[in-house]
Amino acid sequence: KNEVEQSPQNLTAQEGEFITINCSYSVGISALHWLQQHPGGGIVSLFMLSSGKKKHGRLIATINIQEKHSSLHITASHPRDSAVYICAVRFMDSNYQLIWGAGTKLIIKP
Amino acid sequence: DAGVIQSPRHEVTEMGQEVTLRCKPISGHNSLFWYRQTMMRGLELLIYFNNNVPIDDSGMPEDRFSAKMPNASFSTLKIQPSEPRDSAVYFCASSLGPLTNYGYTFGSGTRLTVV
């Protein structure tokens, strides 16, 4: 069964802390997306990965294909990073369907 | 490019009324997706178009929902008649194509409230 699990479900941290959000999936994938959704609803695509590591500003996304696991890291976190972070996976048996994780609600306190 | 444009941003309607949501994908993107987001069910794929043709509409909840893509630059999602349980945020997303390495761009969503 194609499943995506995210952890933690909720995360509260102080400004400046290093943040890690995890995503695990059940079977082989062709791509993994990290997305951000702010209060008020807009969804922004942060990264799409099929291997290795990507970095954009203070955000870093890694994926380990063998372990079926991806992490999203935020360095020097800031209150404006507060949002829901969603992992979505395209499994190999589907060329367009995304299976969505439940999301991680991140709150960064000043 | 202005990104994926959805309209309206907010819609409040009475039960039984027809609702039409609109989406303009990014120019050159061949794939278009309609998603619905609720607290209970998260993000659900409703329908997927490729080159203006509906490929998979298995996520469309029932016959009250219909979607069209008359050309590469415009799509509509219609609910008729609307019901309170249709209240959700509806997102449109587009992509260069259905293949494995293309990312998605989402619109800002339409928040629908049916009273």
Side-chain angles (χ1 to χ4, degrees):
Chain A
K1 186 180 176 185
N2 295 346
E3 293 182 333
V4 179
E5 291 188 359
Q6 276 187 246
S7 63
Q9 188 173 357
N10 293 284
L11 179 57
T12 300
Q14 291 296 131
E15 183 174 356
E17 287 188 38
F18 181 80
I19 303 298
T20 297
I21 299 171
N22 298 299
C23 177
S24 297
Y25 49 91
S26 53
V27 295
I29 65 168
S30 55
L32 182 145
H33 297 252
W34 281 103
L35 306 109
Q36 179 193 56
Q37 186 170 29
H38 276 282
I43 296 176
V44 176
S45 180
L46 299 174
F47 297 103
M48 188 182 67
L49 297 163
S50 55
S51 64
K53 176 180 174 179
K54 287 190 176 180
K55 185 176 188 293
H56 181 69
R58 294 180 296 104
L59 300 177
I60 303 166
T62 63
I63 189 167
N64 185 317
I65 298 297
Q66 287 72 32
E67 295 185 3
K68 299 184 178 58
H69 180 267
S70 176
S71 293
L72 176 69
H73 304 286
I74 306 174
T75 61
S77 59
H78 191 276
R80 65 175 175 267
D81 298 326
S82 298
V84 175
Y85 291 85
I86 306 169
C87 168
V89 167
R90 182 179 284 144
F91 288 97
M92 282 186 175
D93 60 0
S94 169
N95 64 357
Y96 60 85
Q97 271 275 17
L98 287 181
I99 306 299
W100 301 81
T104 295
K105 184 175 182 180
L106 174 65
I107 298 173
I108 303 296
K109 294 184 174 181
Chain B
D1 199 314
V4 176
I5 300 172
Q6 288 187 248
S7 65
R9 289 295 305 274
H10 302 274
E11 176 80 35
V12 180
T13 191
E14 291 185 346
M15 183 175 64
Q17 296 297 306
E18 176 183 300
V19 175
T20 299
L21 311 181
R22 297 173 177 80
C23 176
K24 182 181 188 307
I26 288 177
S27 177
H29 279 195
N30 297 325
S31 295
L32 184 140
F33 307 81
W34 281 101
Y35 285 92
R36 177 172 68 176
Q37 186 180 37
T38 61
M39 289 291 292
M40 292 294 293
R41 301 168 72 97
L43 273 157
E44 303 173 275
L45 177 64
L46 299 177
I47 187 167
Y48 158 59
F49 291 89
N50 190 47
N51 291 324
N52 313 337
V53 176
I55 303 300
D56 182 357
D57 65 355
S58 60
M60 297 285 265
E62 47 196 273
D63 291 345
R64 298 184 296 105
F65 284 68
S66 63
K68 294 182 179 180
M69 192 164 186
N71 56 63
S73 60
F74 184 66
S75 177
T76 59
L77 177 68
K78 184 180 291 187
I79 308 172
Q80 180 186 23
S82 58
E83 296 182 2
R85 61 193 166 117
D86 302 329
S87 297
V89 180
Y90 291 80
F91 287 99
C92 175
S94 71
S95 170
L96 275 171
L99 301 180
T100 59
N101 293 323
Y102 295 126
Y104 288 64
T105 302
F106 282 81
S108 300
T110 295
R111 184 175 296 275
L112 173 65
T113 304
V114 183
V115 298

